[in-house]
Amino acid sequence: MRMITFFLVGLAVHVVFFLSIFDIYFTSPLVHGMTPQAMSLAPPASRLVLLVADGLRADSLYTLHPNGSSRAPYLRRVMEERGTWGVSHTRVPTESRPGHVALIAGFYEDVSAVAKGWKENPVEFDSVFNESRHTWCWGSPDILPMFAKGASGDHVYTHTYPAVEEDFASTDASRLDTWVFAQVKMFFQSAKSNSSLKASLQEDQNVFFLHLLGIDTNGHAHRPMSQEYLENIGLVDSGVAELVSLVEEFFSHDGRTAYVFTSDHGMTNWGSHGAGHPSETLTPLVAWGAGVHNAQKLTEPQPYNDGYLQEWKLEHLRRVDVNQADIAPLMASLIGVPIPVNSVGVLPLSYLNNSDQFKAESMYTNAIQILEQYQVKMAQKKETTLSFLFTPYQLLTESKQAEFIRQARILIQLEKYEDAISLCKSLISHALEGLVYYHTYDRFFLGCSVVLGFVGWTSYVVLLILKTHASLRRPPGHTNQIPGRTLARLCVCVTVVITVFLVIQKSPATYYIYCLLPVPVWYSVLKESGTLTDLIRSAPSLPLCKCFGYFVLVTFGIELLVVSFFHRGILTVGLAVLSLWPILSGLYGKAKFRSVSWLLGCLCLAAFPLMPVVGREPNVHLVTCAGVLTLFTSACYLWSSRQRATLHLSDRQQLFSQMLHVAVCAYVPTLTHDSLQHKQGLPFLNQIISWTTLGSSMFVPLLSSTRLFHRLLSVFLSLTATYLLLSTGSEALFPPVLSWLMFVWINIEQEAMLSQGISGRQELSTIDFSENIDITKIRQLKLDDIRRSYFFVFFIITAFFGTGNIASINSFDPASVYCFITVFNPFIMGGLMMWKVIIPFIIVMCTFETIQVTTQLSSRSLFLIVLVISDLMALHFFFLVQDYGSWLDIGTSISHYVIVMSMTIFLMLLSVATHILTSRRVTVWRRRKMHFP
């Protein structure tokens, strides 16, 4: 198979493996076709006011000042006198979109839907707004439109400010909340003179939604412990007090308004959110007004052992915690609209101040609404599964469903409301478990298909390495392969059987890909079975003990890398062990200076995984120091290499201009930080420099000399300039230290080749990337090449996790992108942060490309070994994926697999990009012909 064909096939196979995880774990849980369930009894409220303080932590609202006063005195008074309070527990990912979907629609959106956008609806869903008679919304343009678009009809009205207002560099982000409260005030004032609007407002089942983004914006910009964040809470509290007074006055104090105050997610101490830390998942919930219990004073201990009641001085008030999705059925019950048909929330009865009959009927409606989802899900799965293969959920068969419903109705008619409520809760529990059962019904089947394809592909790559890059003993004209026609017929028969089975089951199109992919893969494996025979025949002539030792070491090394995904400190241990390689291999005696440099480089790099990932205060002085270190190392190299390789004047000028550019980029973060600290916004000149640097980072190296170290230095300077602009502290030192170690690695590999007696060793300073490798000098693979490939994978993982854990959303500091953008834009900000992660990745890739050139190996051979190591790690993480335990554990296990698979796919694409980056040269102007390069 030609290299380009192999590359495309490998890329396609890995894309399928990558996408499989979304079909297995990230499919939408929603079903359609249910009937909205309404309750016949009159609701306690005619209207609902929902206030969502975006990014507000529970402790930030409930904790008192040292003098005993509250930063939210109005809401504190509501909690103590006329409302019910608690903690709303959110789920991962703790982002604005899934948080609002859980609050208003009552279900937890899958991660793949979040990735499709904040402003659009990836899936159609029902919501409290959709079921209401009218809903008026004020707030962010990132949140409100998705609920207006998802509503049937035109009864959801949105009022948003321009997106550019969401600026982290704003002098006062609390103005976003001031704008919302001012707009609501103007709305009610205009209603007094607008008869049609006033008539609409006087109707029942109306909702008023206020999305307050100021707290979240101030938290990102200044951290949740800052004065700006805490003062914004006070501003919101006074705004709520004024709003309640305004609404009550407009409706003549009719006592028919219910209020719910909560948050979509919290925020870490370092100003980010997205993961499962308690500061992100614990949000406040305060409800009061029509139909809501007044404050209940208690003397006995409450069933909460988290210590928050004592910390917040609230142990004397009844606390009622809920899951975030439970708020949707609560709001629906208060105003008498059907619970959203996709809701999985359980009505928190402790918030309701109504008759036992109302509570029992409400809980019965909630149970039927969730049961309908279960019935639709079961019917869908039954329809697409052969009858003799279908296994129903035993705790809720059709007969048991009917029995549950019949008993619940009888208990309500006999006025045994407590028993009816208990039975309905049991039915809800079984229905929710059944929904999960049918949602994951095909998971084992799909998982087996993917694993079969994975094992087949890895086996094929191993056989390909042995066949084309290893010296195996092959008798002339002798083959032990399975006859081609027999094998082809067998594969055709298997393909037909699988296809017929999937057609009968009415399986989705993606199932055909996952189930049929292993067939051609294993066909290729069996076709190369003769290579395995050659390996067995060559075994007596192989150094078996050495082979076994390498196998044990690589297996241990792969396990070490897998563990490093969970504990970054393992990378420190690994680097400490790698630092001893020259001593253990005997290279120390032959190249002492390079061996000591390797030792020091590994130990310096080993310090980074021990540094805290998150919670670091910005320290722009370290960014400046990183710039100075970059300039120092570059100057040292240019000085030391002036005798070995003569630089053309234009190349020397380019490198010096790049060094000057690095100096500028090292100072820009300091200027930006000072400007933002003084609330003067992002300087326009800084923004121009930043975006220009980013845009030219991959082009400028193409203008430099293709001599090995000259091109690598140009790549290093160009990428480091961008990295400095994306840094806020000690992580800025990572690229210079990593590049130093990579430089030493290139040099020490030359010594390793010399010690192995490989002929044709070429002086590094004379190697040119643009020269074609002499095909006669390309050698076969040796056992030491496995070590080189493992080093590469280890450094790639270190480049990924050396300065942070990208498996965790909250390890990203939004301040990293403030030199480029301060107005909230999740995709641009996310893209910049990912580019920051990729920069060390490219440095390692360029080094690996260099080592392939200097060790006289074809680009295909070492890459195949890397592919095997990466695929073994991916297969390991595939088995570690779990759908039980905490949502953080589930999300982390899936993200690890996605990262490794993305890394493998990215390696394939980046290997082409780095080859271009190192070997191609762009000539902007024609130079005079010179006799020396």
Side-chain angles (χ1 to χ4, degrees), residues 406-425:
R406 188 182 67 82
Q407 287 186 5
R409 288 312 314 168
I410 290 173
L411 289 171
I412 291 174
Q413 289 169 4
L414 295 175
E415 298 185 1
K416 295 182 179 180
Y417 300 124
E418 288 297 326
D419 294 339
I421 289 170
S422 177
L423 185 66
C424 289
K425 286 182 177 179

Side-chain angles (χ1 to χ4, degrees), residues 18 87 340 408 432 775 819 827 847 874 884 903:
F18 174 77
V87 173
L432 291 175
I775 196 71
C819 287
F827 297 106
T847 305
Y884 55 86
M903 185 186 78

Side-chain angles (χ1 to χ4, degrees), residues 75-214:
L75 288 171
R76 186 80 177 196
R77 192 161 61 250
V78 167
M79 293 160 54
E80 292 178 343
E81 296 174 5
R82 57 194 180 94
T84 301
W85 75 283
V87 173
S88 170
H89 296 262
T90 70
R91 287 189 181 179
V92 177
T94 45
E95 299 288 351
S96 291
R97 180 194 168 91
H100 281 87
V101 168
L103 283 170
I104 299 165
F107 70 93
Y108 301 103
E109 197 169 32
D110 62 280
V111 179
S112 62
V114 182
K116 293 175 185 175
W118 267 248
K119 300 180 178 66
E120 298 297 327
N121 280 3
V123 289
E124 293 300 322
F125 58 85
D126 193 17
S127 69
V128 173
F129 295 174
N130 187 45
E131 297 292 351
S132 68
R133 192 177 305 278
H134 301 284
T135 294
W136 290 271
C137 313
W138 297 267
S140 167
D142 295 324
I143 297 298
L144 305 191
M146 69 179 178
F147 292 103
K149 180 182 176 183
S152 57
D154 56 354
H155 63 283
V156 178
Y157 313 101
T158 60
H159 307 271
T160 63
Y161 39 75
V164 293
E165 294 294 320
E166 300 174 16
D167 190 346
F168 294 154
S170 166
T171 54
D172 183 16
S174 63
R175 74 179 192 279
L176 299 176
D177 299 338
T178 304
W179 183 93
V180 170
F181 287 121
Q183 290 293 315
V184 175
K185 188 175 182 179
M186 289 170 54
F187 172 79
F188 279 104
Q189 287 176 345
S190 65
K192 293 178 180 178
S193 56
N194 186 329
S195 57
S196 61
L197 176 59
K198 187 173 183 179
S200 298
L201 290 172
Q202 295 293 346
E203 293 180 301
D204 59 359
Q205 299 183 342
N206 283 341
V207 176
F208 303 96
F209 172 45
L210 284 70
H211 177 238
L212 307 167
L213 188 63

Side-chain angles (χ1 to χ4, degrees), residues 126-382:
D126 193 17
S127 69
V128 173
F129 295 174
N130 187 45
E131 297 292 351
S132 68
R133 192 177 305 278
H134 301 284
T135 294
W136 290 271
C137 313
W138 297 267
S140 167
D142 295 324
I143 297 298
L144 305 191
M146 69 179 178
F147 292 103
K149 180 182 176 183
S152 57
D154 56 354
H155 63 283
V156 178
Y157 313 101
T158 60
H159 307 271
T160 63
Y161 39 75
V164 293
E165 294 294 320
E166 300 174 16
D167 190 346
F168 294 154
S170 166
T171 54
D172 183 16
S174 63
R175 74 179 192 279
L176 299 176
D177 299 338
T178 304
W179 183 93
V180 170
F181 287 121
Q183 290 293 315
V184 175
K185 188 175 182 179
M186 289 170 54
F187 172 79
F188 279 104
Q189 287 176 345
S190 65
K192 293 178 180 178
S193 56
N194 186 329
S195 57
S196 61
L197 176 59
K198 187 173 183 179
S200 298
L201 290 172
Q202 295 293 346
E203 293 180 301
D204 59 359
Q205 299 183 342
N206 283 341
V207 176
F208 303 96
F209 172 45
L210 284 70
H211 177 238
L212 307 167
L213 188 63
I215 293 175
D216 182 77
T217 307
N218 270 320
H220 285 307
H222 306 290
R223 309 294 188 267
M225 301 303 170
S226 65
Q227 197 66 27
E228 290 85 353
Y229 183 91
L230 299 177
E231 286 179 355
N232 203 152
I233 296 173
L235 182 146
V236 167
D237 180 74
S238 59
V240 172
E242 187 177 351
L243 171 72
V244 172
S245 175
L246 178 71
V247 171
E248 293 299 326
E249 180 185 348
F250 184 88
F251 293 106
S252 305
H253 299 274
D254 62 357
R256 297 281 297 171
T257 307
Y259 301 89
V260 174
F261 179 90
T262 187
S263 176
D264 55 346
H265 56 75
M267 187 172 287
T268 60
N269 290 341
W270 47 93
S272 66
H273 52 82
H277 191 273
S279 61
E280 300 166 88
T281 60
L282 303 183
T283 58
L285 173 61
V286 183
W288 70 99
V292 180
H293 257 303
N294 290 329
Q296 300 177 61
K297 302 286 198 318
L298 299 174
T299 54
E300 65 275 7
Q302 300 190 55
Y304 299 101
N305 301 316
D306 49 23
Y308 290 129
L309 285 168
Q310 293 74 25
E311 182 183 332
W312 299 335
K313 304 292 188 295
L314 288 168
E315 56 266 39
H316 63 290
L317 293 174
R318 186 186 184 193
R319 168 182 164 185
V320 183
D321 283 12
V322 301
N323 291 321
Q324 193 173 46
D326 299 342
I327 296 175
L330 172 64
M331 295 190 295
S333 296
L334 287 172
I335 58 174
V337 299
I339 298 172
V341 294
N342 302 116
S343 171
V344 295
V346 181
L347 179 63
L349 294 176
S350 300
Y351 277 84
L352 295 179
N353 181 21
N354 217 310
S355 65
D356 289 341
Q357 181 188 4
F358 182 88
K359 293 179 180 179
E361 290 285 1
S362 297
M363 187 56 73
Y364 175 79
T365 304
N366 193 184
I368 297 298
Q369 169 259 324
I370 293 177
L371 181 62
E372 276 218 342
Q373 294 181 70
Y374 169 83
Q375 290 170 338
V376 171
K377 196 81 171 178
M378 183 178 71
Q380 287 179 353
K381 191 52 60 182
K382 197 171 182 179

Side-chain angles (χ1 to χ4, degrees), residues 848-877:
F848 191 59
E849 177 78 15
T850 305
I851 286 173
Q852 289 182 92
V853 172
T854 59
T855 56
Q856 301 165 2
L857 276 169
S858 70
S859 59
R860 176 178 178 175
S861 52
L862 277 182
F863 183 76
L864 288 176
I865 302 176
V866 170
L867 202 58
V868 171
I869 295 173
S870 302
D871 283 345
L872 289 174
M873 287 179 61
L875 187 60
H876 196 126
F877 280 117

